[in-house]
Amino acid sequence: MEFPKHLKVAAVKVWPYYIYNDPKNISDFSGIEGELLKLLAEKLKFQYTLLLPTDGQQFGFKDASGNWTGVKGMATRGEVDMTVAHLHISEDVFQLAEMSAPYYDDHKTFASDLPRPLPKYTVLVRPFAVYVWIAIIICFTLIPLIFHFLTLCTQRGYKNLSEEDDGVGRSKHKAPNTAKGILDGFFLVSDTLLRFIYTSVILSVLTVEHKGDVIRTSERLAPLLDSRKYKCMLLKGNVIPNILMRSNLKHLRTIGSVIKSYHDTYIPKEYQMKPFGEKRVVIGSKLLFKIMHGSTKFISDDSLDVASKGIYLKKGFCCMDRFNTVLLRIVSAGLYEKFINDVAFPQQVRISFSLTYPEAVTKLDLNALSGIFFILIMGYVSSILLLFLEIAHNRWRKKTKKFK
């Protein structure tokens, strides 16, 4: 059967899938899916009329009454012949529309703002982990006290044996000093090693900017969303909540049920050079995040879902085999990846110009050493206060003895 000469094609108004050069003229477009549509039309030799959804939705979803909205609704109702809009192949739509062969596997993940740099005073504790600091505090406080107590007990034992003296008031028996010598020796060795290790590590810590923690996995994200400590943003009409709610994993079902009723709308263009906001994450396409934000956002490596993308066609479309053959040839030739790179490159250039890059050799300034100077000043202040207290205490004791 001859391929149709003219097709009605449903599209979305979502960057980077469709980029409209003139908002008033939707026939002048580019973008990832836009270029795919142009190439399909060229190879299959058909003309097309581009149509946008009129219900305010974009990709579309199944509403409470069981009707599809957006471009999915246009495809299932037979209003268009083809829908090229980076749609995932869904079992729910199989009975209402034809599906092309999958041409891209899209991973769903989450992104957030990059973590903020840690305060400079934390550089003093960064060289060692928490458990190492606890061990050091125990070793340098509790153990010397125990050894000191044992030394006192030993000296008291020998005091009972030294009742005799040598005629000039000196004891014939002298308490051994072995325990104290061993303690002092180990203390000096440990102190020297710790000083060497600490000073070596702190220099590297000072020259590297350390940043706070960031949510990296969906297991950590789920309880934060459930407790409303974090809030999620989604593309309008995104069906990811419904997909997650059907997952076999409990934490993914939790995320899906929370974001279905508690989320804000994510508009990619508004957040190109703008932070998402504190304690906010965006759940969506990993491809979209990499193109849109690049290295300016943290993009998790955790996959919430993997969706195969396909083109929706009108139920009973005549030439599925020929259409799939041309589509798979385009994909296997790497042309779809080229469309992605063509859109991503200008965005990456804009991002690179907006970033500031540090010098190759970093000099330690006063800001980097502020924590050390703060501790030093606090030590001096404490020493002066103790000096005044000792002077006052000494004078008080002298006055007390004078009155006696």
Side-chain angles (χ1 to χ4, degrees):
M1 186 178 290
E2 187 179 358
F3 200 89
K5 296 295 184 183
H6 189 276
L7 296 175
K8 294 179 181 178
V9 180
V12 291
K13 219 170 186 179
V14 177
W15 190 98
Y17 306 121
Y18 282 88
I19 302 172
Y20 299 96
N21 301 318
D22 183 1
K24 297 180 180 179
N25 181 17
I26 62 171
S27 61
D28 184 13
F29 61 87
S30 58
I32 299 172
E33 301 298 311
E35 294 300 324
L36 176 62
L37 172 59
K38 289 178 182 178
L39 190 55
L40 285 170
E42 179 185 341
K43 297 302 177 185
L44 291 169
K45 296 181 172 52
F46 68 86
Q47 301 293 321
Y48 57 86
T49 300
L50 206 66
L51 300 174
L52 297 177
T54 57
D55 57 2
Q57 301 297 326
Q58 294 296 330
F59 300 102
F61 60 93
K62 204 174 196 178
D63 60 20
S65 59
N67 297 318
W68 289 92
T69 62
V71 291
K72 289 183 180 178
M74 297 172 72
T76 56
R77 290 190 298 270
E79 295 175 4
V80 292
D81 301 302
M82 183 189 303
T83 303
V84 186
H86 204 72
L87 298 175
H88 72 278
I89 297 175
S90 170
E91 188 177 351
D92 297 337
V93 190
F94 258 117
Q95 297 177 351
L96 302 173
E98 302 289 348
M99 300 282 183
S100 74
Y103 62 88
Y104 188 78
D105 289 331
D106 191 18
H107 292 257
K108 301 296 182 182
T109 186
F110 62 92
S112 62
D113 291 329
L114 292 173
R116 294 180 180 179
L118 291 171
K120 294 298 181 182
Y121 61 80
T122 58
V123 73
L124 297 171
V125 297
R126 295 292 296 177
F128 295 146
V130 175
Y131 293 112
V132 177
W133 282 115
I134 293 173
I136 290 172
I137 292 171
I138 291 173
C139 290
F140 281 84
T141 55
L142 184 60
I143 294 178
L145 290 175
I146 294 173
F147 272 94
H148 180 66
F149 176 74
L150 293 175
T151 304
L152 288 177
C153 292
T154 305
Q155 288 177 347
R156 286 175 184 173
Y158 274 94
K159 187 177 181 182
N160 297 329
L161 299 174
S162 57
E163 297 295 335
E164 301 175 3
D165 55 52
D166 58 0
V168 289
R170 289 181 300 182
S171 173
K172 289 182 180 180
H173 302 280
K174 200 170 186 180
N177 209 17
T178 307
K180 188 174 182 302
I182 293 173
L183 177 64
D184 290 342
F186 275 110
F187 181 82
L188 289 173
V189 172
S190 302
D191 181 64
T192 303
L193 288 174
L194 282 172
R195 283 173 183 268
F196 176 75
I197 295 170
Y198 185 81
T199 51
S200 300
V201 176
I202 200 170
L203 286 174
S204 62
V205 172
L206 283 169
T207 54
V208 177
E209 186 179 51
H210 287 267
K211 296 186 177 181
D213 194 15
V214 66
I215 308 301
R216 297 181 179 274
T217 62
S218 54
E219 287 88 346
R220 284 192 61 195
L221 179 64
L224 294 173
L225 289 173
D226 193 27
S227 61
R228 302 299 193 267
K229 291 180 180 178
Y230 271 67
K231 193 169 187 180
C232 177
M233 291 193 292
L234 296 173
L235 279 171
K236 193 172 184 181
N238 202 321
V239 296
I240 188 67
N242 298 329
I243 296 172
L244 295 180
M245 288 172 68
R246 295 195 298 265
S247 173
N248 295 325
L249 300 176
K250 183 180 177 182
H251 66 276
L252 293 183
R253 292 198 301 271
T254 301
I255 293 174
S257 61
V258 171
I259 65 177
K260 186 174 179 66
S261 58
Y262 184 70
H263 69 267
D264 290 335
T265 302
Y266 169 59
I267 303 174
K269 270 194 163 183
E270 289 187 5
Y271 292 95
Q272 277 187 328
M273 300 295 178
K274 175 184 171 183
F276 294 147
E278 193 174 354
K279 295 185 177 181
R280 279 175 173 258
V281 296
V282 180
I283 294 179
S285 166
K286 195 171 188 176
L287 168 66
L288 177 62
F289 292 150
K290 285 186 174 181
I291 294 175
M292 177 65 66
H293 306 294
S295 58
T296 62
K297 304 290 182 188
F298 170 77
I299 303 171
S300 174
D301 291 327
D302 201 1
S303 254
L304 304 179
D305 180 59
V306 181
S308 295
K309 299 299 178 178
I311 295 173
Y312 288 16
L313 297 112
K314 191 175 181 178
K315 194 67 177 174
F317 190 77
C318 62
C319 310
M320 289 300 300
D321 290 339
R322 187 179 173 191
F323 182 84
N324 284 330
T325 300
V326 173
L327 176 63
L328 293 177
R329 283 178 180 175
I330 291 172
V331 174
S332 60
L335 293 175
Y336 190 75
E337 289 292 335
K338 178 187 178 298
F339 300 152
I340 294 173
N341 294 331
D342 288 345
V343 174
F345 180 72
Q347 178 66 8
Q348 294 301 321
V349 171
R350 284 193 292 270
I351 290 173
S352 64
F353 279 114
S354 69
L355 297 175
T356 55
Y357 298 94
E359 297 179 2
V361 178
T362 304
K363 296 179 182 179
L364 295 178
D365 55 8
L366 187 61
N367 188 35
L369 300 172
S370 58
I372 296 174
F373 281 111
F374 176 76
I375 297 296
L376 180 63
I377 292 171
M378 291 298 294
Y380 284 150
V381 171
S382 302
S383 300
I384 293 171
L385 289 175
L386 287 174
L387 175 63
F388 285 132
L389 288 174
E390 288 179 357
I391 293 173
H393 180 66
N394 190 33
R395 289 182 178 178
W396 178 76
R397 286 182 63 188
K398 286 181 178 179
K399 286 181 180 181
T400 305
K401 288 181 180 179
K402 199 172 187 182
F403 285 117
K404 286 182 179 179

